[in-house]
Amino acid sequence: DQQVKQNSPSLSVQEGRISILNCDYTNSMFDYFLWYKKYPAEGPTFLISISSIKDKNEDGRFTVFLNKSAKHLSLHIVPSQPGDSAVYFCAASGTASKLTFGTGTRLQVTL
Amino acid sequence: DSGVTQTPKHLITATGQRVTLRCSPRSGDLSVYWYQQSLDQGLQFLIQYYNGEERAKGNILERFSAQQFPDLHSELNLSSLELGDSALYFCASSLTGTKDEKLFFGSGTQLSVL
């Protein structure tokens, strides 16, 4: 049972445009959400997070939006840069300390 | 560099064999997590340790076991290996292992079972 879903395996965006990566979850006990970025041959690295008491969190070019009623979150990258090309994982946690990850979306930013 | 060290980077072995994956957490981190990433799958949580004690268990097979030693490094033991165990195994660490802490991941061990 995939509790965190990233339905788009890949996304291609032109440099300078907005990248929007989506994530849906089914477990209503999740109250903390994170995005990790992964380059080839490296482990995932933390990008940005949001608590369920907020609906938006911004860090530079990266903004995460949370819609609790829809059990949906999205990551916006503006403007997209070639160095943003990576696999992005959405993750969530509830009462336990472990993170539940989605399957990832591969973002390619083209020139 | 996350500060988390995993060895070996690559491991090729045969079905039925046993292997040990090693992880050294970031300096000062007390908690270690193990995750498995199979092809086209997300990272599946296996197990978490805090200061030598098991704290949480996920979908870890009975053929797999782990431990965290007094120096805080951790080992994941995989035995009676099957083809389906081929995957990327990540170790991650955090300071106290509590909820909402961000994890720092190693670069993984790629296990190929032939």
Side-chain angles (χ1 to χ4, degrees):
Chain A
D1 175 29
Q2 194 71 29
Q3 298 187 60
V4 178
K5 300 177 186 178
Q6 294 177 257
N7 293 318
S8 299
S10 64
L11 175 68
S12 182
V13 172
Q14 259 188 329
E15 181 181 10
R17 308 291 282 264
I18 184 171
S19 296
I20 300 176
L21 292 86
N22 294 303
C23 177
D24 297 293
Y25 61 96
T26 58
N27 190 336
S28 56
M29 298 302 292
F30 288 149
D31 60 3
Y32 190 67
F33 304 89
L34 308 89
W35 285 92
Y36 280 78
K37 180 167 78 171
K38 184 184 178 307
Y39 291 118
E42 295 182 12
T45 55
F46 170 77
L47 188 58
I48 192 170
S49 63
I50 186 167
S51 164
S52 61
I53 62 173
K54 300 173 78 172
D55 54 17
K56 176 182 173 181
N57 188 27
E58 196 170 346
D59 183 2
R61 296 185 297 113
F62 303 91
T63 303
V64 56
F65 295 92
L66 175 62
N67 182 333
K68 290 185 289 293
S69 61
K71 294 192 176 67
H72 177 84
L73 64 155
S74 60
L75 174 68
H76 293 210
I77 307 174
V78 182
S80 300
Q81 299 175 353
D84 297 328
S85 297
V87 177
Y88 289 78
F89 290 98
C90 169
S93 71
T95 53
S97 53
K98 69 171 184 128
L99 290 179
T100 300
F101 283 83
T103 52
T105 296
R106 183 178 303 276
L107 173 66
Q108 183 172 7
V109 180
T110 58
L111 299 173
Chain B
D1 182 10
S2 68
V4 178
T5 303
Q6 287 188 250
T7 56
K9 289 193 182 308
H10 302 276
L11 201 47
I12 301 174
T13 188
T15 55
Q17 295 298 304
R18 172 190 168 96
V19 297
T20 297
L21 282 55
R22 183 188 168 103
C23 170
S24 294
R26 281 191 328 154
S27 177
D29 283 357
L30 298 176
S31 192
V32 169
Y33 303 73
W34 286 97
Y35 281 84
Q36 177 194 56
Q37 185 184 17
S38 302
L39 201 61
D40 295 332
Q41 297 291 312
L43 284 79
Q44 301 294 319
F45 172 71
L46 296 179
I47 198 163
Q48 178 198 3
Y49 281 85
Y50 171 75
N51 207 20
E53 300 290 325
E54 181 184 305
R55 173 167 279 185
K57 210 167 188 174
N59 300 323
I60 186 166
L61 300 172
E62 286 202 12
R63 299 184 286 109
F64 296 2
S65 64
Q67 54 183 324
Q68 186 180 25
F69 294 86
D71 67 353
L72 301 176
H73 91 272
S74 178
E75 293 181 357
L76 179 66
N77 300 295
L78 315 176
S79 61
S80 304
L81 284 168
E82 301 175 358
L83 296 177
D85 298 328
S86 296
L88 192 49
Y89 291 84
F90 287 106
C91 169
S93 73
S94 70
L95 184 60
T96 63
T98 50
K99 177 181 158 50
D100 300 350
E101 260 190 340
K102 66 182 181 187
L103 305 185
F104 293 86
F105 282 84
S107 55
T109 293
Q110 179 68 60
L111 174 66
S112 299
V113 182
L114 306 178

